[in-house]
């Protein structure tokens, strides 16, 4: 048992080191690109800034562009795993909310880097296009995971593997029912809106809390909120009495 425990601890330590190296590379790349432009930043410069060799760079990223668009390639699988493992009594909407909120806490922690990355994308349309393509693939995978949670046996044509299916298109999505597709798309929009609101207003709430507030509006069916009064904070929540 002690041997198994030590092996597990060693594997966990190695994984954390790998995550730290990947984060250092992506942060170095984004900061250099924000200053010089992504097209003018070499793999060697990124590696030097992160304190690793170019050979190590290619252990984590297949190409120069990947370091900008795949800052955390495992996040989608972690979200899908959390949805698969969520308690059965949770609705699909609640399962998606909790799975994504847990991951978005990391976005808050690294908000400066993510903000710089958005600026890099604005100046490099090819990176933006590639990022959108990856986002669409992740959205399809999320929809498939939601579908399998709703109908594990695939009786309603909602089954199929929740793994990347290439570039995708309407024909490849034909086996996914409307609700899973809509929920996956809405979840992505909810994250974007929460990020934009958080950056624009800096409310006294954490980013995951704002994200959950967005889902509260969705769960309620998006009725128009009450008019804001003097005793209502700017984030729309009533004050306690």
């Amino acid at each position: 048992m002690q041997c198994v425990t030590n092996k597990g601890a060693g594997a966990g330590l190695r994984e954390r080191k790998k995550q730290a190296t990947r984060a250092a590379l992506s942060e170095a790349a984004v900061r250099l690109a924000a200053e010089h432009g992504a097209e003018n930043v070499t793999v060697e410069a990124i590696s030097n800034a992160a304190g690793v060799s170019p050979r190590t760079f290619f252990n984590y990223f297949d190409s120069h562009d990947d370091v900008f668009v795949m800052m955390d390639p495992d996040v989608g699988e972690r979200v899908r795993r959390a949805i698969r493992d969520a308690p059965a009594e949770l609705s699909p909407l609640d399962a998606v909310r909790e799975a994504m909120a847990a991951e978005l806490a990391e976005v808050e922690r690294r908000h400066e880097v993510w903000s710089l990355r958005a600026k890099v994308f604005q100046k490099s349309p090819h990176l933006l296009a590639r990022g959108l393509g990856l986002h669409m693939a992740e959205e399809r995978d999320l929809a498939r995971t939601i579908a399998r949670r709703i109908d594990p046996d695939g009786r309603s044509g909602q089954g199929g593997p929740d793994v990347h299916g290439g570039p995708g298109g309407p024909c490849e999505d034909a086996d996914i029912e409307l609700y899973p597709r809509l929920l996956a798309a809405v979840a992505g929009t909810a994250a974007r809106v929460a990020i934009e609101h958080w950056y624009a207003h800096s409310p006294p709430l954490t980013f995951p809390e704002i994200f959950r507030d967005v889902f509260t509006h969705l769960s309620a069916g998006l009725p128009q909120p009450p008019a804001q009064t003097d005793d209502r904070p700017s984030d729309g929540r009533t004050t306690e009495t």
Side-chain angles (χ1 to χ4, degrees):
M1 178 64 72
Q2 183 65 35
C3 179
V4 173
T5 302
N6 289 340
K7 286 183 179 179
L13 178 60
R14 287 194 298 272
E15 185 60 32
R16 289 194 295 273
K17 287 182 176 180
K18 288 173 62 178
Q19 291 175 353
T21 301
R22 179 184 289 277
L25 284 165
S26 62
E27 181 170 344
V30 167
R31 291 188 183 281
L32 287 170
E35 182 176 356
H36 304 290
E39 296 77 8
N40 301 317
V41 176
T42 65
V43 168
E44 289 74 14
I46 296 170
S47 302
N48 288 336
V52 301
S53 68
R55 182 176 180 179
T56 298
F57 176 96
F58 288 108
N59 288 336
Y60 292 88
F61 302 99
D62 291 335
S63 71
H64 167 274
D65 289 353
D66 282 349
V67 72
F68 301 105
V69 299
M70 300 181 67
M71 290 179 62
D72 188 351
D74 299 325
V75 63
E77 174 53 31
R78 290 196 300 268
V79 168
R80 295 191 294 272
R81 185 186 309 120
I83 292 171
R84 291 193 295 265
D85 296 341
E89 61 270 17
L90 282 186
S91 69
L93 187 72
D94 290 340
V96 171
R97 179 196 64 206
E98 293 305 310
M100 293 187 67
E103 291 296 330
L104 291 173
E106 177 66 9
V107 176
E108 181 175 37
R109 189 182 72 82
R110 299 182 67 194
H111 68 90
E112 181 187 5
V113 176
W114 284 96
S115 179
L116 288 175
R117 178 178 181 255
K119 295 178 181 178
V120 169
F121 275 21
Q122 290 174 358
K123 297 178 180 180
S124 302
H126 75 286
L127 292 179
L128 178 60
R130 186 168 182 181
L132 288 174
L134 289 174
H135 172 74
M136 292 175 64
E138 289 285 357
E139 186 178 294
R140 287 193 298 273
D141 290 348
L142 178 59
R144 292 183 185 279
T145 298
I146 296 168
R148 289 177 68 89
R149 179 178 174 86
I150 295 171
D151 186 6
D153 298 325
R155 292 183 300 272
S156 301
Q158 296 175 333
D162 50 341
V163 295
H164 289 314
C171 293
E172 293 189 20
D173 295 341
D175 63 327
I176 308 176
E177 294 287 342
L178 177 61
Y179 179 81
R181 294 176 64 177
L182 178 61
L183 178 52
V186 167
T189 299
R192 177 179 59 78
V193 170
I195 290 173
E196 291 174 352
H197 180 81
W198 184 59
Y199 275 123
H201 300 282
S202 299
L205 299 172
T206 66
F207 179 38
E209 286 175 332
I210 295 173
F211 179 75
R212 288 191 172 94
D213 278 353
V214 172
F215 264 72
T216 297
H217 286 295
L218 294 174
S219 298
L222 289 180
Q224 182 175 336
Q228 184 171 320
T229 60
D230 291 340
D231 63 344
R232 182 182 296 273
S234 60
D235 62 6
R237 290 186 171 190
T238 56
T239 56
E240 294 182 356
T241 56

